[in-house]
Amino acid sequence: MNIRDNRGYALIEILSVFLLISVISAYVVSSGVDINAELAGEAEIVKSHLRYVQYLALSNETNELAIKFSDTNDSYTLLKNNIEDNNLPNENSATHTLQPGLTIILPSNIPVNKTIAFDKWGSPVPNDTYKIIISDGINTKEFEIIKNTGAVL
């Protein structure tokens, strides 16, 4: 009778197990990745630009600074006295254009001219709460500008 010596695993068996573990790990890691990272990132950029305009209004004690959203809802511009002002942070101009496929959905209570300004105390003008949504057509990220305080949450 031939009895095979079973003291260990063959190299092909070890490689097969490593390959199976690698495939399962790749699937688990990729399923946990946020596919909406661009959407979330763009929402944070818009929030930071709104906070920047609020900061400028507070530090200069002026009501002349505003963000005007485009008619196509894919960009906005920093205005001072209704004229394009300095560059937005991390931008080469006073206008920021969203990444392709993303749009800004403005609330119904936004002024007709699609402009949000901040007064010298940091409150939005007109003084109301605004819920702004960034959308890719399927998913959305939303945030609010709170009346009276102007907090961008």
Side-chain angles (χ1 to χ4, degrees):
M1 215 187 249
N2 273 340
I3 299 179
R4 214 168 127 199
D5 189 6
N6 289 329
R7 284 189 258 172
Y9 296 102
L11 181 61
I12 191 75
E13 293 171 324
I14 293 172
L15 291 176
S16 299
V17 170
F18 281 128
L19 179 66
L20 184 62
I21 290 172
S22 300
V23 169
I24 292 171
S25 298
Y27 174 75
V28 169
V29 168
S30 68
S31 66
V33 173
D34 184 9
I35 59 172
N36 298 321
E38 289 179 356
L39 187 63
E42 199 66 55
E44 290 303 315
I45 290 170
V46 174
K47 287 166 58 174
S48 70
H49 288 161
L50 285 163
R51 289 181 184 126
Y52 175 71
V53 173
Q54 181 187 34
Y55 164 76
L56 289 176
L58 282 164
S59 62
N60 295 321
E61 294 187 5
T62 182
N63 296 345
E64 302 163 347
L65 294 158
I67 290 278
K68 179 171 177 46
F69 296 93
S70 69
D71 291 334
T72 56
N73 291 334
D74 66 350
S75 65
Y76 53 86
T77 303
L78 171 60
L79 301 177
K80 183 175 184 179
N81 293 323
N82 292 322
I83 299 171
E84 284 189 26
D85 194 41
N86 297 331
N87 293 349
L88 287 163
N90 299 319
E91 300 286 335
N92 294 328
S93 72
T95 300
H96 175 75
T97 302
L98 274 60
Q99 295 179 22
L102 300 181
T103 57
I104 300 170
I105 301 170
L106 299 171
S108 58
N109 63 338
I110 196 94
V112 176
N113 61 2
K114 292 187 170 186
T115 301
I116 296 178
F118 292 93
D119 63 22
K120 62 184 179 182
W121 297 285
S123 299
V125 176
N127 194 9
D128 203 352
T129 296
Y130 301 103
K131 184 183 286 188
I132 298 175
I133 300 169
I134 309 294
S135 174
D136 64 3
I138 299 169
N139 302 303
T140 61
K141 291 286 181 187
E142 62 182 59
F143 59 91
E144 289 183 327
I145 302 170
I146 308 298
K147 72 179 192 175
N148 297 329
T149 64
V152 181
L153 306 173

